[in-house]
Amino acid sequence: MSEWSYSDEELDQYFRDRSAREGNRPGEGASGDEEDGHGRPTTGFRGFFHRRIADPWAAQAAAVLSVLTGILAVGVLAGGTYVWTLTDDIPSTERLEDPTMQLATIAYTADGEELARYARQNRSWAPYDSISSHVTDALIATEDQRFYQHWGVDPQAIVAAVADILTGNFRGASTITQQLARNLYNEAVGRAVTIPRKVREMVTAVELERRYTKREILEMYLNTVSFGGNVYGIESAARTYFGRRAARLDPLQAATLVGMLRATTYYNPVRNPQHAKQRRNVVLRLMREQGAISAAYYRDHVDDPVRADYHSSRLSASLAPYFAEHVRTTLSDWATDEEYSDHPLHGRDIYGDGLRVYTTLDSKLQKLARASVEHNMTALQKVVGYQWSEPSPGLYSSSLEDYRSLTPGEDYEPFAHFWASNPEVLNDFIRQTTRYDTLRARGRGPKAAVDRLRDAPSFLDSLKAAKSRLGAGLVSLDPRNGHVKVWVGGRDFETEKYDKVGTARRQPGSTFKPFTYTAAIDNGYSPYDTLLDSTFTWKDAGADTTWSPQNYDGESSGEMLTLSQGLANSKNTITARLALDLNPQTVTTYARRMGIPDETLKAVPSIALGTSNVRLLDMAAGYSTLANGGLYNEPVAITRVEDRYGNVLWESSSSPREALSKRTAYTVVDMMRGVIDYGTGVRIRTQFDLGEYDLGGKTGTTDRAADTWFMLMHPELVSGSWVGFEDQRLTFRTGFWGQGAHTALFLVGDYYRRITESDTVSLANTSFPLVEGYGAPEDTTGSPNGGRVGW
């Protein structure tokens, strides 16, 4: 309050004192004007001023006030005219009443974890009630202590700032509302240090105060302010620096984030924790002075270190980066591709509309799967690196643990023998690099460019490491609805963008065989029908070509084996004879019906052995058709999309398609039990302690061990994995380690074992339905089930 201002009580007391001194009767003023019961004049303009001028102290105040009023009147007249000329530059009424801003689209896992953000500006909107009160307390104490007293512009703060400037101390006088005006309408208001810009800011602030409550202004401010980098808004800041929601920020964290607003880089709590602590303590002191925290709390915590941990919003930091990228590209296609012109999301800005995307991924399963991939691939990398280190390395073991303790560079030189034995392969890799292209563009010849790069040790080491790095993929689907529960598309999204689950197409080897056996069962074959396990030569008279399929180890028993035995032991000879009996076109038809896209399939006899390139995701979908009793579900990654207000824009409505009869599907599943019970996948039971679960599966290996696969079926979780090299000229060196049963199987087996040992997720001990309808032969020796399902 100014020293020339009076309260009602002070005026009452003044008139009572004057009346007592002058002996006036109550109700009668000195000038004869009428007074009210408090001695205040009710009529007579002259009497009102006369009483004040009669008092010397009041007369001085009136004189000064008159001068200031005159100056202010002239200033207001001139200033008002000037302000009027600037009104065309302030934001329109429509923009003031409906400010727009870019909000990140956020994808969530099925169990509510944040999966990824897609945005130009990493911002998500937090309602006022979802922001910790410690944040608003810290903000007001630091930026605008009279926030609830002013109307957008604070004259007291301006006067104080001017006084400070005159004494050599610069301080800001912008209110929170003025700062919000700059944040919301940067182009219209501007940030230049000029009087016109400041006036536009003030006028806009006043207009904002007219239209919004104080709570709404605080909410808008905290959701628009930048916290450095690509982090906008308190919700994004809380998640980025503290890994929690804005509603759960404690006073120390709130003070740290509010303190950042002065200089987001200098006070960054991750990069500059000491600076952040100093600034945080300033904010805490101001909060204490304003009563937002107690003196005891301040005293107990002022020496605490800043405990921040950066949580990047980049896709590479996601718990499922390849899946998150798949979701992003799907949304982008829906929004921009004319093929989806009728889709509810077509025309939407997925990077600025603040959509909420709900996916099928299970965060707990994903973490277990990633842990399995990392654990086993680190050891398998040592296996293959050691085996290629020398012409005759000393260690040949069938135990992965024997290789795990080896140290590359100390115990062996990874792939040294391979590079020495394959110089042209290395030269070809060099010719594929941008460094080579640059040298060629500068005039070097092909050989000179290669020789130059061969003499660059750091370049060569980096290239060798990248090309000799084993790749991996792992995916899990719920066969009952096609929901993707796990998606590990590679070992490192930062360096390996090529997705091994949803993009890469490789030969599946023997994991393709169940499609052949499905075609056979559905066309009248029995699991107990027999075929000869021996090599043979097939000749295509029309194309004058021949085909001589052999088993993986090059040997055959020469015996008649049942189809169940042939599948369980992955006999190429049995499967090849069966495919020729059926016709390769029949095999492709069933594979397509079960979930393998038609464009990837070639109807040739060798298709039965997995020579057509397929995606791991499609293989998992095909196996899910068997596990789901013949009903095919297209893999589903997104279940629902909402706008920023929670309105549902799109919801998944896919339904299963009948691909097979239930009888056929579960008959093949029962045959595939044999793979796990006594066949090539028996390590699932013996090594990974999964004996009590009802499982079916299949191993797969291609020529020269370029690709290794494993598929595992459970009634509620179907999973598949792939292990191999990007370039198929690199392979496992030994036959043992070049099999899917000893590589890809480890990823899935370890992953399922982690599930059974977990306290947060579980693998239901359920069984596939039993199959009736086949008469069991008297001798069921070699049957995977001993005839237990009614054959």
Side-chain angles (χ1 to χ4, degrees), residues 157-178:
I158 295 174
V159 171
V162 171
D164 283 349
I165 292 174
L166 294 176
T167 59
N169 298 316
F170 180 80
R171 58 174 270 188
S174 293
T175 64
I176 288 175
T177 315
Q178 288 174 258

Side-chain angles (χ1 to χ4, degrees), residues 491-606:
R491 296 173 64 185
D492 184 0
F493 184 79
E494 195 70 39
T495 59
E496 306 171 23
K497 295 295 192 296
Y498 194 51
D499 183 4
K500 309 306 188 303
V501 169
T503 302
R505 298 179 186 274
R506 305 293 289 255
Q507 291 185 357
S510 294
T511 54
F512 198 84
K513 289 178 180 177
F515 300 114
T516 302
Y517 286 87
T518 299
I521 295 300
D522 207 48
N523 282 275
Y525 285 79
S526 161
Y528 290 98
D529 286 341
T530 59
L531 290 171
L532 182 62
D533 174 24
S534 67
T535 59
F536 65 93
T537 299
W538 174 83
K539 184 175 182 179
D540 183 352
D544 195 28
T545 60
T546 60
W547 179 47
S548 298
Q550 298 184 29
N551 294 325
Y552 180 78
D553 57 8
E555 300 181 359
S556 55
S557 67
E559 300 176 355
M560 298 295 289
L561 300 179
T562 66
L563 298 191
S564 289
Q565 291 170 326
L567 179 59
N569 293 294
S570 200
K571 296 294 185 179
N572 291 344
T573 55
I574 300 294
T575 308
R577 291 180 185 276
L578 186 61
L580 290 173
D581 286 349
L582 288 167
N583 188 324
Q585 185 60 55
T586 302
V587 176
T588 63
T589 297
Y590 276 85
R592 181 176 64 252
R593 282 164 53 181
M594 295 169 67
I596 308 299
D598 185 54
E599 63 269 16
T600 69
L601 302 175
K602 296 181 180 179
V604 296
S606 62

Side-chain angles (χ1 to χ4, degrees), residues 426-461:
L426 181 58
N427 290 344
D428 191 38
F429 288 155
I430 292 174
R431 286 189 285 267
Q432 296 172 11
T433 65
T434 56
R435 289 278 297 275
Y436 174 82
D437 293 339
T438 300
L439 291 175
R440 294 284 289 119
R442 292 176 180 175
R444 287 184 183 264
K447 184 177 184 304
V450 169
D451 291 343
R452 170 70 182 83
L453 293 174
R454 270 186 168 274
D455 291 332
S458 60
F459 163 81
L460 208 60
D461 290 344

Side-chain angles (χ1 to χ4, degrees), residues 634-702:
E634 183 178 0
V636 175
I638 303 172
T639 57
R640 189 172 78 258
V641 179
E642 298 175 352
D643 65 15
R644 65 175 66 182
Y645 306 109
N647 301 310
V648 177
L649 301 176
W650 175 87
E651 197 160 13
S652 175
S653 58
S654 60
S655 57
R657 168 177 56 81
E658 184 175 2
L660 306 167
S661 69
K662 184 180 295 187
R663 177 173 176 272
T664 294
Y666 286 132
T667 298
V668 177
V669 167
D670 187 73
M671 295 171 68
M672 295 173 70
R673 284 185 175 114
V675 176
I676 305 302
D677 290 341
Y678 70 92
T680 57
V682 71
R683 280 177 178 260
I684 287 293
R685 300 220 183 276
T686 61
Q687 183 171 333
F688 294 102
D689 302 324
L690 297 171
E692 64 180 283
Y693 295 93
D694 189 8
L695 303 169
K698 188 70 191 76
T699 58
T701 307
T702 61

Side-chain angles (χ1 to χ4, degrees), residues 273-582:
Q274 284 304 114
H275 296 162
K277 177 182 177 181
Q278 294 170 3
R279 179 62 182 163
R280 179 206 67 189
N281 289 347
V282 171
V283 177
L284 287 176
R285 176 177 56 80
L286 293 171
M287 293 174 69
R288 181 198 64 192
E289 293 174 356
Q290 294 298 309
I293 59 173
S294 66
Y297 184 91
Y298 176 81
R299 183 175 59 253
D300 292 342
H301 296 284
V302 69
D303 293 327
D304 288 0
V306 170
R307 296 183 177 90
D309 184 20
Y310 187 72
H311 298 77
S312 175
S313 62
R314 295 181 302 170
L315 285 187
S316 58
S318 169
L319 64 92
Y322 295 92
F323 179 76
E325 175 62 10
H326 172 74
V327 171
R328 186 195 68 80
T329 57
T330 300
L331 293 173
S332 180
D333 288 344
W334 290 348
T336 62
D337 197 322
E338 286 306 312
E339 179 184 350
Y340 300 98
S341 58
D342 294 332
H343 197 282
L345 293 185
H346 193 73
R348 290 274 181 172
D349 180 6
I350 68 169
Y351 304 104
D353 281 359
L355 305 178
R356 296 295 179 266
V357 182
Y358 299 91
T359 74
T360 59
L361 198 83
D362 187 303
S363 68
K364 299 179 182 66
L365 290 178
Q366 176 73 14
K367 291 171 185 175
L368 295 177
R370 286 188 62 171
S372 175
V373 170
E374 181 179 351
H375 178 71
N376 289 283
M377 290 306 298
T378 299
L380 287 170
Q381 185 73 52
K382 292 182 178 181
V383 170
V384 70
Y386 175 81
Q387 290 181 343
W388 280 113
S389 63
E390 300 177 14
S392 299
L395 175 62
Y396 283 101
S397 173
S398 61
S399 172
L400 193 58
E401 297 307 312
D402 290 339
Y403 294 90
R404 200 179 294 278
S405 61
L406 297 177
T407 302
E410 295 182 10
D411 299 321
Y412 65 99
E413 192 62 37
F415 289 91
H417 176 63
F418 177 86
W419 299 121
S421 304
N422 299 274
E424 191 50 42
V425 172
L426 181 58
N427 290 344
D428 191 38
F429 288 155
I430 292 174
R431 286 189 285 267
Q432 296 172 11
T433 65
T434 56
R435 289 278 297 275
Y436 174 82
D437 293 339
T438 300
L439 291 175
R440 294 284 289 119
R442 292 176 180 175
R444 287 184 183 264
K447 184 177 184 304
V450 169
D451 291 343
R452 170 70 182 83
L453 293 174
R454 270 186 168 274
D455 291 332
S458 60
F459 163 81
L460 208 60
D461 290 344
S462 176
L463 179 64
K464 288 178 178 179
K467 293 298 183 180
S468 62
R469 182 174 171 83
L470 266 177
L474 194 159
V475 66
S476 290
L477 302 181
D478 184 336
R480 298 165 297 181
N481 52 26
H483 286 190
V484 177
K485 310 309 291 184
V486 161
W487 185 308
V488 182
R491 296 173 64 185
D492 184 0
F493 184 79
E494 195 70 39
T495 59
E496 306 171 23
K497 295 295 192 296
Y498 194 51
D499 183 4
K500 309 306 188 303
V501 169
T503 302
R505 298 179 186 274
R506 305 293 289 255
Q507 291 185 357
S510 294
T511 54
F512 198 84
K513 289 178 180 177
F515 300 114
T516 302
Y517 286 87
T518 299
I521 295 300
D522 207 48
N523 282 275
Y525 285 79
S526 161
Y528 290 98
D529 286 341
T530 59
L531 290 171
L532 182 62
D533 174 24
S534 67
T535 59
F536 65 93
T537 299
W538 174 83
K539 184 175 182 179
D540 183 352
D544 195 28
T545 60
T546 60
W547 179 47
S548 298
Q550 298 184 29
N551 294 325
Y552 180 78
D553 57 8
E555 300 181 359
S556 55
S557 67
E559 300 176 355
M560 298 295 289
L561 300 179
T562 66
L563 298 191
S564 289
Q565 291 170 326
L567 179 59
N569 293 294
S570 200
K571 296 294 185 179
N572 291 344
T573 55
I574 300 294
T575 308
R577 291 180 185 276
L578 186 61
L580 290 173
D581 286 349
L582 288 167

